[in-house]
Amino acid sequence: IERFGANRVSPYVLAIAATRCGRCDQAFAHLERAIERRDPNVMMLVADTSFAALRNDPRWLPLLARRVPTFED
């Protein structure tokens, strides 16, 4: 429950909200934070249609390459 400390909202969820508001820079910043904090939702990043607006951005593929959380970790 305390996984995200004082920030009780997952950075992944914040990235979804930012994407829906058209704030791509904020969305990428939140996704970077989600990866750093090993948010388990990141495993869904490839299939999550919430991020369709980000997929043509040149930052998208490098971000996918960095998403490390897996079941083996």
Side-chain angles (χ1 to χ4, degrees):
I1 294 175
E2 292 295 321
R3 182 172 182 96
F4 302 108
N7 302 319
R8 296 186 186 265
V9 178
S10 158
Y12 188 89
V13 173
L14 293 174
I16 291 172
T19 302
R20 290 183 180 167
C21 290
R23 297 179 176 167
C24 295
D25 291 337
Q26 285 183 346
F28 277 104
H30 289 304
L31 286 172
E32 291 285 347
R33 197 168 306 113
I35 290 169
E36 289 169 10
R37 294 183 183 182
R38 303 177 66 82
D39 185 328
N41 292 309
V42 171
M43 289 189 289
M44 297 301 298
L45 191 56
V46 174
D48 194 334
T49 59
S50 300
F51 300 110
L54 302 181
R55 291 192 176 133
N56 289 327
D57 189 293
R59 296 172 285 185
W60 180 251
L61 290 178
L63 181 84
L64 290 183
R66 286 196 50 242
R67 63 174 175 76
V68 176
T70 64
F71 291 111
E72 289 84 38
D73 292 342

